[in-house]
């Protein structure tokens, strides 16, 4: 989820990590078991005067299957569920409005299950997870190909 966001003016930093769970400073090995309650997530620092929050939401929806509450594509488990974590009432309202608009758009024939939740402590993932698509371009490309993500996105977003 780093690549779709970090190539835009106004995006200052995209950090891979974990949020929403009950274990402090979890490791990837802990999170991937699905027992910590964490979501694998990205934390995005941005300049809203250059890159508005609404644009983050638009890009986000176009990267996921918002109808799948069991994970994403071939990544299965609670740690791969989708969610938008808000930091203010304004972000919450905008996220809820964008979710409703997506539900009404007719792009999907199942309910939108992506949760909109208050931001919880965020724990950066281990360094080898940061900017994975840049550090390991072949592995990243292969994972995208076998996951079914690109096919799904083409079908729904053309």
């Amino acid at each position: 989820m780093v690549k779709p966001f970090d190539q835009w003016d106004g995006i200052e930093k995209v950090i891979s990590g974990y949020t929403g769970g009950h274990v402090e400073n979890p490791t990837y090995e802990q999170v991937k078991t699905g027992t910590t309650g964490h979501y694998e997530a990205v934390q995005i620092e941005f300049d809203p005067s250059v890159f508005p929050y609404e644009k983050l939401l638009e890009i986000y929806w176009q990267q996921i299957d918002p109808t799948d509450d069991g994970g994403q594509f071939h990544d299965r488990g609670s740690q791969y569920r989708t969610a938008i974590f808000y930091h203010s009432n304004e972000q919450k309202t905008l996220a809820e409005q964008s979710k409703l608009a997506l539900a009404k758009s007719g792009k999907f024939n199942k309910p939108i299950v992506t949760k909109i939740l208050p931001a919880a402590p965020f724990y950066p993932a281990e360094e080898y997870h940061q900017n994975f698509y840049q550090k390991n371009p072949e592995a990243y490309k292969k994972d995208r190909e076998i996951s079914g993500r690109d096919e799904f996105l083409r079908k729904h977003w053309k």
Side-chain angles (χ1 to χ4, degrees):
M1 289 297 286
V2 173
K3 185 178 180 182
F5 294 101
D6 77 346
Q7 301 178 32
W8 297 89
D9 290 339
I11 300 296
E12 297 165 358
K13 190 185 290 187
V14 182
I15 303 167
S16 297
Y18 321 112
T19 192
H22 58 272
V23 174
E24 286 189 37
N25 297 308
T27 65
Y28 174 69
E29 293 302 316
Q30 291 172 303
V31 172
K32 77 176 185 177
T33 67
T35 62
T36 68
H38 290 89
Y39 290 75
E40 287 196 11
V42 292
Q43 182 174 29
I44 302 172
E45 295 177 19
F46 66 103
D47 179 346
S49 68
V50 177
F51 199 93
Y53 184 69
E54 294 90 337
K55 183 70 173 170
L56 284 178
L57 295 168
E58 179 185 331
I59 292 170
Y60 176 75
W61 292 120
Q62 295 180 33
Q63 305 308 310
I64 65 167
D65 176 353
T67 68
D68 186 349
D69 64 359
Q72 284 295 285
F73 310 103
H74 71 251
D75 291 322
R76 310 310 303 159
S78 61
Q79 67 275 30
Y80 299 112
R81 296 166 294 166
T82 59
I84 296 169
F85 294 91
Y86 61 86
H87 293 269
S88 69
N89 285 333
E90 179 185 13
Q91 285 183 352
K92 178 183 180 184
T93 298
L94 291 169
E96 289 172 340
Q97 289 171 348
S98 72
K99 180 179 176 178
L100 184 59
L102 182 61
K104 289 181 175 181
S105 74
K107 285 193 178 293
F108 301 97
N109 58 9
K110 296 190 281 186
I112 305 301
V113 297
T114 299
K115 293 185 176 168
I116 298 173
L117 302 169
F122 180 85
Y123 302 100
E126 297 79 354
E127 183 56 36
Y128 69 93
H129 287 290
Q130 305 304 327
N131 300 306
F132 183 81
Y133 81 96
Q134 292 172 326
K135 294 176 183 174
N136 300 284
E138 291 304 315
Y140 174 81
K141 183 179 175 185
K142 184 175 183 172
D143 186 65
R144 289 277 308 211
E145 288 171 359
I146 64 172
S147 73
R149 178 184 299 266
D150 290 335
E151 181 180 332
F152 177 89
L153 298 179
R154 275 191 299 276
K155 177 181 175 186
H156 290 281
W157 298 102
K158 296 181 173 88

